[in-house]
Amino acid sequence: MPVEFKVNGKDVAADVPPNTLLSTFIRENLRLTGTHRGCDTAQCGACTVIANGRAIKSCNVLVAQMQGADVTTIEGLAKPDGTLHPMQAAFKECHGLQCGFCTSGMILSAVDLLQHHPKATESEIRALLEGNICRCTGYQNIVKAVQTVQKQATAA
Ligand code: FES
Ligand code: FES
């Protein structure tokens, strides 16, 4: 099945079997391995990417559904010169990660969260990140990172 879309600002054209998952395509065809696969059943959020401005679980979407879409993976979040996105910088600063397995998905979900809920309270942030599971951090520093970016945006 032919499909054309954008990933991290670059045009992608492929001819894939119709049952190809977006997560598989991103990792195995595009070699963008920052998108992780944990459960493959839309539970853990490790495979989260942003498609057309919304965070989605790429293990639960077919490449064929991406026709014309604009997709951002964790590799596309920093600036071309390597400057981290504010959410990446805040996760680093606040120690919002340990093993890192959940981190790319968590950061992309957090970006989506503040884009659509810029005034989210702490409990709302926790609820909105429910689809992303972290086995390491206890979430404290993840929430702190999100609140740090939230405060920066308010101060700007
Ligand atoms: S690998 Fe997609 S949600 Fe777990
Ligand atoms: S940092 Fe290890 S799973 Fe989140």
Side-chain angles (χ1 to χ4, degrees), residues 36-47 57-60:
H36 291 163
R37 289 167 76 182
C39 63
D40 252 354
T41 51
Q43 313 275 327
C44 74
C47 65
K57 292 176 176 175
S58 62
C59 72
N60 201 33

PDB file of all heavy atoms in Angstrom, residues 36-47 57-60, ligand 1:
ATOM      1  N   HIS A  36      10.036   3.954  21.289  1.00  0.00           N
ATOM      2  CA  HIS A  36      10.208   2.624  21.882  1.00  0.00           C
ATOM      3  C   HIS A  36       8.941   1.787  21.774  1.00  0.00           C
ATOM      4  O   HIS A  36       7.847   2.327  21.603  1.00  0.00           O
ATOM      5  CB  HIS A  36      10.618   2.773  23.353  1.00  0.00           C
ATOM      6  CG  HIS A  36      11.995   3.331  23.509  1.00  0.00           C
ATOM      7  ND1 HIS A  36      12.454   3.870  24.676  1.00  0.00           N
ATOM      8  CD2 HIS A  36      13.010   3.443  22.601  1.00  0.00           C
ATOM      9  CE1 HIS A  36      13.715   4.283  24.508  1.00  0.00           C
ATOM     10  NE2 HIS A  36      14.065   4.047  23.255  1.00  0.00           N
ATOM     11  N   ARG A  37       9.149   0.487  21.871  1.00  0.00           N
ATOM     12  CA  ARG A  37       8.004  -0.428  21.898  1.00  0.00           C
ATOM     13  C   ARG A  37       8.048  -1.192  23.208  1.00  0.00           C
ATOM     14  O   ARG A  37       9.018  -1.892  23.489  1.00  0.00           O
ATOM     15  CB  ARG A  37       8.079  -1.397  20.726  1.00  0.00           C
ATOM     16  CG  ARG A  37       7.802  -0.713  19.404  1.00  0.00           C
ATOM     17  CD  ARG A  37       8.168  -1.580  18.245  1.00  0.00           C
ATOM     18  NE  ARG A  37       7.186  -2.616  18.048  1.00  0.00           N
ATOM     19  CZ  ARG A  37       7.317  -3.547  17.089  1.00  0.00           C
ATOM     20  NH1 ARG A  37       8.359  -3.542  16.300  1.00  0.00           N
ATOM     21  NH2 ARG A  37       6.393  -4.449  16.939  1.00  0.00           N
ATOM     22  N   GLY A  38       6.988  -1.006  23.997  1.00  0.00           N
ATOM     23  CA  GLY A  38       6.918  -1.718  25.270  1.00  0.00           C
ATOM     24  C   GLY A  38       5.900  -2.827  25.208  1.00  0.00           C
ATOM     25  O   GLY A  38       6.226  -4.011  25.150  1.00  0.00           O
ATOM     26  N   CYS A  39       4.645  -2.450  25.162  1.00  0.00           N
ATOM     27  CA  CYS A  39       3.557  -3.430  25.265  1.00  0.00           C
ATOM     28  C   CYS A  39       2.998  -3.851  23.908  1.00  0.00           C
ATOM     29  O   CYS A  39       2.473  -4.939  23.762  1.00  0.00           O
ATOM     30  CB  CYS A  39       2.435  -2.819  26.099  1.00  0.00           C
ATOM     31  SG  CYS A  39       1.731  -1.350  25.320  1.00  0.00           S
ATOM     32  N   ASP A  40       3.074  -2.934  22.945  1.00  0.00           N
ATOM     33  CA  ASP A  40       2.469  -3.163  21.615  1.00  0.00           C
ATOM     34  C   ASP A  40       0.955  -3.316  21.676  1.00  0.00           C
ATOM     35  O   ASP A  40       0.339  -3.828  20.744  1.00  0.00           O
ATOM     36  CB  ASP A  40       3.086  -4.390  20.929  1.00  0.00           C
ATOM     37  CG  ASP A  40       3.993  -3.983  19.773  1.00  0.00           C
ATOM     38  OD1 ASP A  40       4.038  -2.781  19.441  1.00  0.00           O
ATOM     39  OD2 ASP A  40       4.637  -4.865  19.202  1.00  0.00           O
ATOM     40  N   THR A  41       0.355  -2.898  22.775  1.00  0.00           N
ATOM     41  CA  THR A  41      -1.104  -3.021  22.910  1.00  0.00           C
ATOM     42  C   THR A  41      -1.728  -1.715  23.422  1.00  0.00           C
ATOM     43  O   THR A  41      -2.768  -1.738  24.087  1.00  0.00           O
ATOM     44  CB  THR A  41      -1.480  -4.166  23.871  1.00  0.00           C
ATOM     45  OG1 THR A  41      -0.745  -3.991  25.095  1.00  0.00           O
ATOM     46  CG2 THR A  41      -1.156  -5.524  23.293  1.00  0.00           C
ATOM     47  N   ALA A  42      -1.083  -0.588  23.151  1.00  0.00           N
ATOM     48  CA  ALA A  42      -1.631   0.730  23.502  1.00  0.00           C
ATOM     49  C   ALA A  42      -1.802   0.950  24.997  1.00  0.00           C
ATOM     50  O   ALA A  42      -2.653   1.721  25.429  1.00  0.00           O
ATOM     51  CB  ALA A  42      -2.953   0.975  22.773  1.00  0.00           C
ATOM     52  N   GLN A  43      -0.965   0.297  25.805  1.00  0.00           N
ATOM     53  CA  GLN A  43      -1.089   0.452  27.257  1.00  0.00           C
ATOM     54  C   GLN A  43      -0.010   1.368  27.849  1.00  0.00           C
ATOM     55  O   GLN A  43      -0.289   2.126  28.758  1.00  0.00           O
ATOM     56  CB  GLN A  43      -0.917  -0.908  27.960  1.00  0.00           C
ATOM     57  CG  GLN A  43      -1.699  -2.036  27.378  1.00  0.00           C
ATOM     58  CD  GLN A  43      -3.104  -2.102  27.894  1.00  0.00           C
ATOM     59  OE1 GLN A  43      -3.343  -1.751  29.045  1.00  0.00           O
ATOM     60  NE2 GLN A  43      -4.020  -2.503  27.076  1.00  0.00           N
ATOM     61  N   CYS A  44       1.234   1.264  27.351  1.00  0.00           N
ATOM     62  CA  CYS A  44       2.350   1.842  28.100  1.00  0.00           C
ATOM     63  C   CYS A  44       2.780   3.240  27.649  1.00  0.00           C
ATOM     64  O   CYS A  44       3.392   3.970  28.417  1.00  0.00           O
ATOM     65  CB  CYS A  44       3.553   0.902  28.048  1.00  0.00           C
ATOM     66  SG  CYS A  44       4.421   0.880  26.453  1.00  0.00           S
ATOM     67  N   GLY A  45       2.524   3.595  26.403  1.00  0.00           N
ATOM     68  CA  GLY A  45       2.879   4.933  25.923  1.00  0.00           C
ATOM     69  C   GLY A  45       4.317   5.092  25.457  1.00  0.00           C
ATOM     70  O   GLY A  45       4.706   6.173  25.011  1.00  0.00           O
ATOM     71  N   ALA A  46       5.115   4.028  25.528  1.00  0.00           N
ATOM     72  CA  ALA A  46       6.526   4.147  25.128  1.00  0.00           C
ATOM     73  C   ALA A  46       6.675   4.507  23.650  1.00  0.00           C
ATOM     74  O   ALA A  46       7.681   5.072  23.237  1.00  0.00           O
ATOM     75  CB  ALA A  46       7.259   2.835  25.406  1.00  0.00           C
ATOM     76  N   CYS A  47       5.678   4.188  22.865  1.00  0.00           N
ATOM     77  CA  CYS A  47       5.741   4.385  21.402  1.00  0.00           C
ATOM     78  C   CYS A  47       5.093   5.695  20.959  1.00  0.00           C
ATOM     79  O   CYS A  47       4.880   5.899  19.762  1.00  0.00           O
ATOM     80  CB  CYS A  47       5.008   3.232  20.723  1.00  0.00           C
ATOM     81  SG  CYS A  47       3.233   3.272  21.118  1.00  0.00           S
ATOM     82  N   LYS A  57      -0.421   6.785  20.137  1.00  0.00           N
ATOM     83  CA  LYS A  57       0.395   5.597  20.395  1.00  0.00           C
ATOM     84  C   LYS A  57       0.637   4.912  19.050  1.00  0.00           C
ATOM     85  O   LYS A  57      -0.299   4.386  18.445  1.00  0.00           O
ATOM     86  CB  LYS A  57      -0.311   4.696  21.393  1.00  0.00           C
ATOM     87  CG  LYS A  57      -0.355   5.354  22.761  1.00  0.00           C
ATOM     88  CD  LYS A  57      -1.114   4.577  23.789  1.00  0.00           C
ATOM     89  CE  LYS A  57      -0.997   5.315  25.126  1.00  0.00           C
ATOM     90  NZ  LYS A  57      -1.809   4.698  26.167  1.00  0.00           N
ATOM     91  N   SER A  58       1.875   4.944  18.613  1.00  0.00           N
ATOM     92  CA  SER A  58       2.157   4.507  17.237  1.00  0.00           C
ATOM     93  C   SER A  58       2.053   2.992  17.070  1.00  0.00           C
ATOM     94  O   SER A  58       2.055   2.504  15.942  1.00  0.00           O
ATOM     95  CB  SER A  58       3.532   5.012  16.778  1.00  0.00           C
ATOM     96  OG  SER A  58       4.560   4.482  17.584  1.00  0.00           O
ATOM     97  N   CYS A  59       1.935   2.247  18.177  1.00  0.00           N
ATOM     98  CA  CYS A  59       1.733   0.788  18.053  1.00  0.00           C
ATOM     99  C   CYS A  59       0.273   0.463  17.784  1.00  0.00           C
ATOM    100  O   CYS A  59      -0.075  -0.691  17.566  1.00  0.00           O
ATOM    101  CB  CYS A  59       2.177   0.072  19.330  1.00  0.00           C
ATOM    102  SG  CYS A  59       1.067   0.315  20.732  1.00  0.00           S
ATOM    103  N   ASN A  60      -0.545   1.498  17.826  1.00  0.00           N
ATOM    104  CA  ASN A  60      -1.983   1.269  17.699  1.00  0.00           C
ATOM    105  C   ASN A  60      -2.543   1.907  16.426  1.00  0.00           C
ATOM    106  O   ASN A  60      -3.751   2.076  16.298  1.00  0.00           O
ATOM    107  CB  ASN A  60      -2.673   1.889  18.935  1.00  0.00           C
ATOM    108  CG  ASN A  60      -4.031   1.313  19.194  1.00  0.00           C
ATOM    109  OD1 ASN A  60      -4.268   0.146  18.926  1.00  0.00           O
ATOM    110  ND2 ASN A  60      -4.936   2.135  19.704  1.00  0.00           N
TER     111      ASN A  60
HETATM  112  S1  FES B   1       4.225   0.067  22.841  1.00  0.00           S
HETATM  113 FE1  FES B   1       2.603   1.340  22.219  1.00  0.00          FE
HETATM  114  S2  FES B   1       1.541   1.800  24.030  1.00  0.00           S
HETATM  115 FE2  FES B   1       3.067   0.355  24.647  1.00  0.00          FE
END
